[in-house]
Amino acid sequence: MESKQIFVNEICPTSTQTWIKKGALLVDVREQYEVAQLAFDVPNIVNIPLSEFENRCTELPVDQKLVIVCRNGSKSFRATGFLIYNGYDAAKVVNMKHGIVRWVQKGYPTRGETSIVAGAVSNSDCCTTVDYNSDKKPCCNSHNSNDGKCC
């Protein structure tokens, strides 16, 4: 049996802000207790915990841009790959690199106790905004960026 190769695009919190302003839906895959402690404070957000994701992913629109998020980007990376593997357009579904940890570091809106993620990821000043309809990609969107300088 031949296996499908999946490519997951990643963006940073700053680029996520642009996506949200243009109508993207934020999909938080953290468990309910994690969201209760610290949540993204954005208008278009859905919480589908990773533990329920396989059974509930059909609740997500296939025709809308989706930014998948979690605490540090690892669970959301898996969820993003799952969606793409199951037919979602890789250009419309992206993982937010470094999760709510970097979101908090950048000072973006949250509800709850931000101290629970303080110091979890080192900060960088690489992040720039990106137009998701453009081919131009800042370092934050490079899937090959392993140099630690991405936001």
Side-chain angles (χ1 to χ4, degrees), residues 89-134:
D89 184 346
K92 290 184 176 181
V93 180
V94 297
N95 179 51
M96 188 178 81
K97 202 170 187 180
H98 303 301
I100 200 166
V101 170
R102 186 60 53 90
W103 183 274
V104 166
Q105 288 176 345
K106 292 290 184 179
Y108 295 132
T110 58
R111 291 184 317 270
E113 186 51 54
T114 58
S115 65
I116 64 172
V117 296
V121 174
S122 65
N123 208 355
S124 75
D125 46 349
C126 168
C127 201
T128 60
T129 58
V130 65
D131 179 349
Y132 56 73
N133 293 317
S134 169

Side-chain angles (χ1 to χ4, degrees), residues 27-32 46-60 69 79:
V27 180
D28 192 339
V29 298
R30 295 176 300 145
E31 299 300 319
Q32 291 292 338
V46 171
N47 177 235
I48 302 178
L50 191 60
S51 62
E52 303 170 16
F53 201 77
E54 188 174 332
N55 295 325
R56 293 185 53 202
C57 68
T58 56
E59 297 173 25
L60 299 172
V69 298

Side-chain angles (χ1 to χ4, degrees), residues 11-31:
I11 63 173
C12 65
T14 301
S15 296
T16 297
Q17 291 288 317
T18 301
W19 279 54
I20 291 169
K21 287 175 185 167
K22 293 187 176 192
L25 179 67
L26 209 65
V27 180
D28 192 339
V29 298
R30 295 176 300 145
E31 299 300 319

